[in-house]
Amino acid sequence: MVTPGKKVKTFTIDGKDVSGTEDQTVIEVCRENNIEIPTLCHLDGLTEVGACRLCLVEIKGSNKLLPACVTKVAEGMEVLTASDRLKNYRIKILELFFSERNHICSVCVSNGICELQNLGQKLGMTHVHYPYLFPKVNVDASHERFVLDHNRCILCTRCVRVCDEIEGAHTWDIMGRGIESMVITDLNKPWGDSDSCTSCGKCIAVCPTGALVEKYKNAVDKTSKYKKDKLKFLPYLTTMREVKNEQS
Amino acid sequence: MSKVSEDIINNKADDNTTSAKVKAATVWLDGCSGCHMSFLDMDERIIELLQKVDLCYSPLVDHKDFPDMVDLTLVEGAVSSHEDLEKIKKVREHTKILVSLGDCAVTANVPSMRNPFGVKAIMNHAYVETAVTKDIIPNEVVPELFEYSRPVHNFVKVDLFLQGCPPPADAIYFLLTELLEGRMPDLTKVSRLGK
Amino acid sequence: MIIEELIEYAEKLNLREKKGKHEIKVCSAAGCLSLKSEAVTEELRKKIAELGLEEECSIKPVGCLGLCSKGPLVTIDKDNKVYQEVKAEQASEIIEKLKIEPEKESDHFFTRQQKIVLENSGQVDPEKIQDYILRDGYKALHEVLELTPQEVIDEITLSGLRGRGGAGYPTGLKWSTVAKTGKVKKYVICNADEGDPGAFMDRSVLEGDPHRVLEGMAIAAYAVGADEGYIYCRAEYPLAIKRLKNAIKQAERAGVMGKNIFGTTFTFTVDLRIGAGAFVCGEETALIASIEGKRGQPRPRPPYPAEVGLWGSPTLINNVETYANIAPIIRNGGEWYSAIGTEKSKGTKVFALAGKIQNTGLIEVPMGISLREVIFDIGGGIPDGKKFKAVQTGGPSGGCIPEQFLDNPIDYESLSKLGSIMGSGGMIIMDETSCMVDVAKYFLDFTKDESCGKCVPCRVGTVQLYNILDRISKGEGTMEDLYELEDLCDLVKNTSLCGLGQAAPNPVLSTLQYFRDEYVAHIIDKKCPAGVCKIHEHAGKKKSEVME
């Protein structure tokens, strides 16, 4: 949305003329113009980390691929979002995600509403040609209402960010590095023993896969109040906060 | 890829004198046979297909040996043992188009759930810790398991992947009719992982 | 305060110690210390006392003398010769040398070098500020305070100095970018998180001449308008940390650091931050996150730290060696500096020679010198009559350069043309007994362990790359694996978030480019030509065949 007082930039995305304000990112303008860009770590209302690398776009004149979620628009820039090169990279990145942990869709509670699975479908990933790594990772079911299954985690850190930035609890964080990285609660305490967790369920709602789910409920189950409208509630919170800031 | 589909068309033309039918086979490795059930779920369409297809080898028919050369083989299940591996290698050598049918063949799916734990641990769990009769790990007749269950394409070249657990009957029908028409089907639109 | 007062202060400090006519300098850098140079110092001291020669000679512990493989090193001012592999028993022998007329030095290792960054290394006692001041120390800072910040930046731009951390970004340009951000809180950071395997340039500078880095930082702070600085040093360098702490304290006491430097309104304080063992923290955005107390992970750039850096403020971040070049450039002028080196790569570069080379150690040479001169003339060639195979520059982000390019000049552009990079200055020399598949595997093992895990191409891609290399090295690879290696390298290189991932494939790509035959030998012949990889004799065969 163009806001008064902000400089407007005009440029092209996939040859289409578009405009945006100077503080907008490429992905925002793409969404306004119904240009689909795949992403797993970006979520409206949370800070950007640029980690999943699925939203990489080509910008004419730059030999580097840039993540659309953090790249600010500029006058006259020519953005390509769906070149063959990008499509090829995206499928391979998805394959790397699938090869990393034990994503067994058929037995996953998020089967059918999983963003990773959906992207695989949408981007035309027929199979994972990289060898699966089959790591032995745990399931933390110590929380009264929720389950963390590391087998499905893609380390997008949406849970970490929503807990810190929206709920303000900062229960989640990342431990270890490289392929050993893990999301943890508190200082790697079992989730059920966490002192900081407020059991608000925001992490469940934002998780793109079946890594964070509500107990005894299939995620597609209509009785689950989570995993629905995840793209709506965060912007709502952000807007409310901005309104409050303006008033004070 | 298009080369393979041409083969089918050519095959049809070549074999005019003997049999105009496309030779097909299905094999079952480490899987639950659900994909074969889904195949049967094509119901009366199978009869229609059999006008054009000769099912030479399958758990569903009574042939003991894999034929010399078939045009098409659908393979269900992951590769989990030497027996599976020998079988799939032989199939590959005697097949023009090899299709991974269903998630176990495509991703190793449920059979792979044992992988993080190791063969020893799961055998022990299945035959000793939870044994109700005698606690012996079977070592005769049954093939020895590989350390990991892996998808078929990790061992042999696979030409087409039909995802799904199991792939819907409609998707299998689409796959077969497209191939019979000499087209390489885009299967990402008719089926998906896990469903 | 004027510079004369500072020198007076230094001389006063100097007088407190007894000085002889001659000075015996004993290397006290980490390399020589670990070879027990302290025992040599002790013995020398004892002998001098025994002979009653305190008036004649004194002993001075100094920073790195360069030839680390031949330590402990001792040098005497009389003949300026570096005595190598000195044992404590030789103490009296060395004292004797002070009495006879010197011979002329002719060792290529020393004569072929040109020292700017290391000019004080091996000359000053790194724990004494007076030594540094008496060798023109802090003179440049004093001069700078009489210039405008723009004039300082102009001088650095004129010098043509480029970042010595590896990427070679023009230093003057970086400074002016930070300077242009207006009157806001700004920081300067010194990146001393040297982590490349086989690299120890920054370590030696910090251990041997810490004040030089502080002076460079202060000049930079003045030029860009910052008043606070951080040195981010890896915890694995305890001696460097100790000497830096000491140097900061001394500089504050001498009035060249802290409030109202040289009596002007310019204020600059420096603080030390210690790394926690993550290689990725050498990446500037990860380093900044680490200083802020966050998990040391890189973030996408832009915005660059020059705009949004430490705590959101514009931040200048340079490497140790870059800062070490600043004072001499100011003292001698940018023009002087730009006369050294090649057209696009000015000045000198410090290299750490390691691996299969005679003279393991630290050298400083003008840019544009050939690899051959560095390895064979200065480095003394390959030991034991073995044949040279390749030189690895730039650490895990660099590549391997084979023999046919030995006469290429060392500069930023020509190294990157060869598929490697200048990097921070590590040079690992390999001979015929090195297997290039094994080398690539070694570096991928390193990068996969050091990947921060934030972005998927680096986190998983490096592991998949390593697994393929491991398979090949065991004789279990296929020719398709070579294609997959190249394809995956391309993916990781182009889609990773930060420099670590983007450069991680370089060792694989360069060895594939120049030593493809070695990969093929592992795959087809099931043999490791260098005899390094252990290939099982039944590799690649079916189990049934093996049983037969």
Side-chain angles (χ1 to χ4, degrees), chain A residues 106 111 117-118 121 126 128 134, chain B residues 109 153 163 188 192-194:
Chain A
S106 60
N111 189 3
Q117 186 191 28
N118 286 349
Q121 178 77 7
T126 58
V128 176
F134 300 125
Chain B
N109 199 21
H153 63 266
Q163 300 172 335
T188 57
R192 62 187 297 168
L193 285 174

Side-chain angles (χ1 to χ4, degrees), chain C residues 424-478:
Chain C
S424 57
M427 249 189 213
I428 301 171
I429 289 89
M430 287 167 271
D431 68 9
E432 55 195 306
T433 62
S434 306
C435 165
M436 302 316 278
V437 177
D438 188 60
V439 167
K441 189 175 129 180
Y442 168 81
F443 280 111
L444 258 295
D445 190 27
F446 182 85
T447 34
K448 87 170 163 55
D449 284 349
E450 293 297 342
S451 163
C452 78
K454 183 171 181 176
C455 75
V456 71
C458 176
R459 181 174 77 228
V460 191
T462 53
V463 172
Q464 295 282 12
L465 278 174
Y466 173 82
N467 288 350
I468 299 174
L469 290 167
D470 186 49
R471 216 156 54 221
I472 294 174
S473 77
K474 285 180 180 151
E476 291 161 7
T478 62

Side-chain angles (χ1 to χ4, degrees), chain C residues 304-315:
Chain C
Y304 288 89
E307 290 172 71
V308 183
L310 189 59
W311 288 302
S313 294
T315 302

Side-chain angles (χ1 to χ4, degrees), chain C residues 196-226:
Chain C
D196 289 358
F200 47 93
M201 303 74 54
D202 296 349
R203 170 187 199 151
S204 293
V205 173
L206 295 172
E207 288 177 359
D209 197 8
H211 284 286
R212 162 177 299 266
V213 180
L214 296 182
E215 187 178 3
M217 287 180 76
I219 294 170
Y222 176 76
V224 302

Side-chain angles (χ1 to χ4, degrees), chain A residues 35-244:
Chain A
I35 296 164
E36 273 188 62
I37 292 199
T39 169
L40 285 170
C41 65
H42 165 90
L43 195 62
D44 285 341
L46 298 182
T47 53
E48 303 291 0
V49 285
C52 76
R53 315 309 284 168
L54 285 167
C55 73
L56 288 178
V57 293
E58 289 187 56
I59 287 173
K60 211 173 168 189
S62 163
N63 52 358
K64 272 194 175 170
L65 303 175
L66 294 170
C69 62
V70 292
T71 304
K72 293 269 193 292
V73 304
E75 187 64 35
M77 77 201 297
E78 292 173 43
V79 184
L80 286 179
T81 69
S83 64
D84 286 344
R85 181 176 177 220
L86 290 173
K87 284 184 191 160
N88 172 33
Y89 282 156
R90 282 177 191 151
I91 290 184
K92 283 179 181 149
I93 288 170
L94 272 185
E95 287 185 33
L96 286 178
F97 271 123
F98 273 102
S99 78
E100 182 184 13
R101 300 258 172 112
N102 308 304
H103 295 280
I104 300 166
C105 300
S106 60
V107 296
C108 180
V109 288
S110 287
N111 189 3
I113 59 154
C114 168
E115 291 180 41
L116 180 68
Q117 186 191 28
N118 286 349
L119 274 185
Q121 178 77 7
K122 203 179 267 175
L123 302 185
M125 184 190 84
T126 58
H127 67 293
V128 176
H129 85 283
Y130 300 115
Y132 289 98
L133 300 176
F134 300 125
K136 187 166 193 299
V137 288
N138 291 327
V139 176
D140 181 353
S142 59
H143 193 280
E144 183 183 17
R145 287 166 54 208
F146 309 126
V147 184
L148 159 65
D149 185 352
H150 287 292
N151 290 292
R152 316 278 191 254
C153 176
I154 56 165
L155 297 163
C156 68
T157 69
R158 282 187 191 176
C159 54
V160 177
R161 286 173 283 151
V162 79
C163 187
D164 179 40
E165 297 162 14
I166 309 293
E167 177 65 6
H170 201 128
T171 301
W172 293 103
D173 217 318
I174 302 275
M175 173 184 84
R177 65 187 184 207
I179 199 84
E180 312 274 324
S181 302
M182 290 276 174
V183 290
I184 51 166
T185 42
D186 283 359
L187 291 169
N188 198 24
K189 262 191 196 175
W191 195 358
D193 297 344
S194 165
D195 304 317
S196 62
C197 176
T198 62
S199 302
C200 70
K202 290 189 180 71
C203 52
I204 310 291
V206 297
C207 179
T209 68
L212 290 171
V213 289
E214 199 182 359
K215 266 186 187 175
Y216 318 116
K217 292 220 168 82
N218 190 314
V220 272
D221 190 341
K222 287 208 175 62
T223 59
S224 171
K225 60 175 181 285
Y226 303 106
K227 297 263 178 201
K228 280 188 293 178
D229 292 340
K230 79 172 79 168
L231 297 170
K232 285 180 196 154
F233 92 90
L234 284 172
Y236 173 76
L237 288 178
T238 316
T239 316
M240 284 300 112
R241 194 184 302 170
E242 274 165 12
V243 168
K244 208 179 157 203

